[in-house]
Amino acid sequence: MKPAICLGIETTAHTFGVGIVAQDGKILADVKDSFTTGSGGMIPHEVAEHHVKVCDAVLAKALSDAGIGMSDIRLISFSQSPGIGPCLKIGATVARLLSHLHGIPLIGVNHCIAHLEIARLLTPAKDPVLLYASGANTQIIAFEEGKYRIFGETLDQGIGNLLDSFARHIGLGFPGGPKVEQLALKAREQDAPLIELPYVVKGMDLSFGGILTNIARKWDSGAFTKEGLCFSLQETVFAMLVEVSERAMAHTGKIELAIGGGVGCNKRLQEMCRLMCEARGAQFFAPPNTVLIDNGVMIAWLGLLQYNAGERMAIADAIIKPYLRTDEIEVRWR
Ligand code: ATP
Ligand code: FE2
């Protein structure tokens, strides 16, 4: 018998993604198209328009990459929470439409949990603490007492938004994270000194707003180079992430750290996580970049986990939940 195949649709933020995954975890397709700008930021209704424009082509390419048609799909999953309302709506609408047209069951999944589950599928990690560092989100998540709980999180913006805002301020365009990484690397190769920035860890939580104001002023003063500021920004905020992740590991007694989210692609952040884990006899796992950034593959995989655990959803219940938190989700598959 052919394994059941799930088509997952991701639209929490700037990416429209379709992933196709088989029951045994084999990835058959991973197609995405992300909204970008040359110099401005991300405006929700423009991003939603982008998703509408590209959805047909992304879906068609995913099916053709997988070498299958809609009639081979047994389940449709979509990112139901959390995210930007206008963007989430496009994914939910596409999922409802496909479900209705083709008579395929559908299921809504939580995007943050999907990041953790895809790390469990694609790395040897079994029960990791997840450092989820993306544009909009920054959370430390782990499975405890039947639920995915948030052990620490940002009190204001996500870390990627901080990197993107600073990049925009110095004229680098969106997304800024990879550009900041390149400039930081240059400074590191030249042994640039660390420029002091606020370090804001409050208990288990993080705050980035004050750091942005501070570093933007430093840039405006003309006294510092782009490279030096990018380097110091990364060293400071990544140390904050690693500190809170380590404390979550100590608290939960877990011996694995996995990373998720677009900022997780950053090699320096991965290096700092690895060093922290080595120092405490733990292991660090980074899944491939293709699933660190937003993607439909992890949505498809979590859809399969939930469906196989007996979860069902009526089309009428396929409504978006932009503010739902991970610990409100009932976990039946673990
Ligand atoms: P969500 O918050 O819904 O998970 P998102 O829209 O923030 O999604 P992601 O693709 O997870 O999407 O992450 C995008 C963020 O990752 C952007 O802020 C981008 O600047 C950042 N980013 C991508 N690559 C790197 C990198 N190499 N170094 C640092 N940041 C990066
Ligand atoms: Fe994400």
Side-chain angles (χ1 to χ4, degrees):
M1 202 180 80
K2 270 211 242 165
I5 293 173
C6 179
L7 182 143
I9 302 167
E10 157 59 29
T11 59
T12 51
H14 72 302
T15 300
F16 183 90
V18 171
I20 301 178
V21 178
Q23 178 82 33
D24 58 1
K26 186 159 184 247
I27 296 166
L28 306 178
D30 176 13
V31 183
K32 32 179 114 69
D33 192 313
S34 296
F35 175 84
T36 56
T37 67
S39 57
M42 175 162 109
I43 300 166
H45 77 86
E46 287 179 8
V47 185
E49 247 165 64
H50 160 269
H51 294 350
V52 172
K53 255 187 225 144
V54 304
C55 70
D56 274 351
V58 171
L59 177 65
K61 176 145 193 334
L63 289 168
S64 117
D65 284 2
I68 59 173
M70 277 310 293
S71 60
D72 297 302
I73 304 291
R74 293 285 172 272
L75 178 68
I76 291 165
S77 62
F78 67 100
S79 45
Q80 186 176 25
S81 65
I84 303 170
C87 302
L88 285 171
K89 263 187 200 157
I90 308 300
T93 305
V94 173
R96 290 168 77 129
L97 191 71
L98 290 175
S99 169
H100 185 69
L101 276 178
H102 300 277
I104 306 169
L106 89 173
I107 206 148
V109 313
N110 178 275
H111 177 96
C112 311
I113 296 179
H115 274 291
L116 197 144
E117 288 298 346
I118 201 67
R120 293 212 305 143
L121 175 70
L122 298 179
T123 76
K126 289 193 176 63
D127 183 22
V129 166
L130 177 79
L131 167 56
Y132 174 31
S134 70
N137 294 292
T138 303
Q139 297 184 334
I140 320 295
I141 303 168
F143 188 70
E144 278 275 280
E145 293 181 18
K147 285 196 165 168
Y148 282 101
R149 302 188 189 270
I150 300 169
F151 286 88
E153 65 189 313
T154 177
L155 297 170
D156 39 50
Q157 78 227 74
I159 185 164
N161 282 356
L162 162 67
L163 298 174
D164 293 337
S165 299
F166 178 61
R168 188 164 75 233
H169 189 74
I170 64 175
L172 296 179
F174 175 83
K179 294 169 184 162
V180 169
E181 180 175 25
Q182 289 314 314
L183 291 172
L185 194 64
K186 266 195 205 158
R188 211 176 160 205
E189 282 164 359
Q190 292 160 4
D191 275 328
L194 189 75
I195 302 159
E196 199 177 318
L197 294 170
Y199 183 97
V200 195
V201 174
K202 300 179 181 178
M204 286 296 284
D205 293 326
L206 309 148
S207 161
F208 300 114
I211 300 176
L212 178 61
T213 309
N214 184 291
I215 194 168
R217 279 207 195 118
K218 283 198 166 73
W219 168 251
D220 294 343
S221 76
F224 302 94
T225 63
K226 274 185 187 176
E227 290 81 1
L229 288 172
C230 288
F231 166 71
S232 304
L233 180 60
Q234 282 199 173
E235 294 299 306
T236 306
V237 292
F238 293 170
M240 290 164 52
L241 295 183
V242 171
E243 180 191 329
V244 179
S245 303
E246 179 168 27
R247 219 170 308 127
M249 293 173 80
H251 176 74
T252 56
K254 296 196 193 290
I255 52 168
E256 297 168 331
L257 177 68
I259 200 158
V263 181
C265 299
N266 190 290
K267 291 286 171 261
R268 177 60 182 149
L269 175 58
Q270 292 192 5
E271 182 187 17
M272 289 168 77
C273 289
R274 193 168 292 115
L275 288 170
M276 178 272 280
C277 284
E278 277 169 17
R280 53 183 294 112
Q283 274 187 299
F284 172 67
F285 298 102
N289 282 3
T290 49
V291 297
L292 286 175
I293 58 172
D294 286 348
N295 65 92
V297 165
M298 65 181 190
I299 303 302
W301 177 239
L302 182 52
L304 281 170
L305 292 177
Q306 292 182 197
Y307 193 81
N308 290 336
E311 224 172 279
R312 299 291 179 267
M313 179 179 266
I315 291 189
D317 295 329
I319 46 165
I320 62 165
K321 298 182 175 173
Y323 303 106
L324 191 77
R325 289 170 66 79
T326 64
D327 51 12
E328 293 175 65
I329 308 264
E330 197 192 330
V331 179
R332 296 196 198 168
W333 64 94
R334 279 188 71 164

